[in-house]
Amino acid sequence: MCGRFLFGEEAYLNAAAIAHMPQWIQEELHFGEIYPSQSALVLKKNQNGDGLEGAVMKFGYSYTRAGSDRKQLIINARSETVDSKWMFRWAFLHERVVVVASAFYEWTADKQKVTYYEPDQTLYIGAIAKDDGFVILTKEANASVRDVHHRMPVLFDAAQAKIWVERVDLAKDLMDTVSPLLDHSPIVSLAQGHLF
């Protein structure tokens, strides 16, 4: 499960190299650790359908169970069933986005926070959107994450991110590609957008 992630200036600059960023967007962004219900940078298909553009969306979207008045915030969906579950199918077919991140976090059984990142790389996390919110897609963890958690986010490189957003016919196969092996550290600091 991916419940928090880190967003730094370097990740923003890398995303701006592959997507159009509206002039106002930096005023809306929160840099640092991103929690559920906070706003974050995503890349989506531009209005012409021929490239990517940045947008600010909320991490998670609300869901009300039948027979209940209480809203729940959904933050993750399983990649294996996202195209068949009624709650996610439409968004998978029509509203795929990528979340821009510097790193993501998981916690050990004894509540130790572990930071996962790819050195000198921006993480493009597969997600789907509904209204003004997004849900991060997860898959079975690879060897670099498995000792801490059995799930991890669906990760793309910059070229795959563009394909994910634009090509529904290739989206399912992209989720099955091998995730990169990540570095990890129990301690992270953010200084000028770099992980140390």
Side-chain angles (χ1 to χ4, degrees), residues 44-53:
K44 63 178 191 170
K45 193 185 309 185
N46 71 19
Q47 292 184 353
N48 298 330
D50 60 355
L52 301 178
E53 78 176 8

Side-chain angles (χ1 to χ4, degrees), residues 6 11 23 27 33 40 57 62 68 78 89-90 100 104 106 112 115 117 129 139 147 157 159-160 169 171 177 181 188:
L6 181 68
Q23 290 183 343
E27 297 170 12
E33 191 167 335
M57 301 183 95
S62 296
S68 172
R78 295 175 69 91
R89 181 173 167 73
W90 191 91
V100 180
F104 67 90
E106 293 296 349
Q112 179 98 17
T115 305
Y117 59 97
K139 65 191 290 184
D147 288 347
D157 62 27
Q160 292 169 326
D169 57 320
T177 59
L181 293 176
V188 67

Side-chain angles (χ1 to χ4, degrees), residues 8 60-61 71 75 87 102 117 120 137 159:
Y61 53 74
K71 289 187 175 182
I75 61 169
M87 184 186 299
S102 303
Y117 59 97
D120 303 318
L137 300 180

Side-chain angles (χ1 to χ4, degrees), residues 25-135:
I25 203 163
Q26 285 194 39
E27 297 170 12
E28 301 282 328
L29 291 175
H30 171 79
F31 290 93
E33 191 167 335
I34 307 294
Y35 297 79
S37 80
Q38 282 188 310
S39 295
L41 177 65
V42 301
L43 305 182
K44 63 178 191 170
K45 193 185 309 185
N46 71 19
Q47 292 184 353
N48 298 330
D50 60 355
L52 301 178
E53 78 176 8
V56 177
M57 301 183 95
K58 184 179 72 172
F59 181 13
Y61 53 74
S62 296
Y63 165 69
T64 305
R65 282 188 194 271
S68 172
D69 293 334
R70 200 175 75 128
K71 289 187 175 182
Q72 295 179 310
L73 191 66
I74 307 295
I75 61 169
N76 292 145
R78 295 175 69 91
S79 62
E80 297 89 345
T81 57
V82 69
D83 62 337
S84 60
K85 294 267 186 177
W86 68 268
M87 184 186 299
F88 305 121
R89 181 173 167 73
W90 191 91
F92 171 75
L93 293 174
H94 303 285
E95 296 290 337
R96 291 172 316 285
V97 298
V98 290
V99 178
V100 180
S102 303
F104 67 90
Y105 305 112
E106 293 296 349
W107 282 259
T108 64
D110 60 351
K111 308 297 185 200
Q112 179 98 17
K113 188 177 186 179
V114 181
T115 305
Y116 289 95
Y117 59 97
E118 195 171 5
D120 303 318
Q121 297 292 322
T122 294
L123 300 179
Y124 297 99
I125 302 173
I128 54 174
K130 176 183 172 186
D131 301 325
D132 66 343
F134 65 85
V135 170

Side-chain angles (χ1 to χ4, degrees), residues 145-181:
V145 179
R146 189 177 301 130
D147 288 347
V148 172
H149 201 281
H150 66 286
R151 305 287 295 175
M152 68 182 291
V154 172
L155 301 175
F156 301 127
D157 62 27
Q160 292 169 326
K162 187 174 189 317
I163 295 169
W164 167 256
V165 170
E166 295 179 343
R167 299 283 305 270
V168 67
D169 57 320
L170 300 177
K172 188 68 173 167
D173 288 340
L174 266 181
M175 290 188 293
D176 294 333
T177 59
V178 175
S179 296
L181 293 176

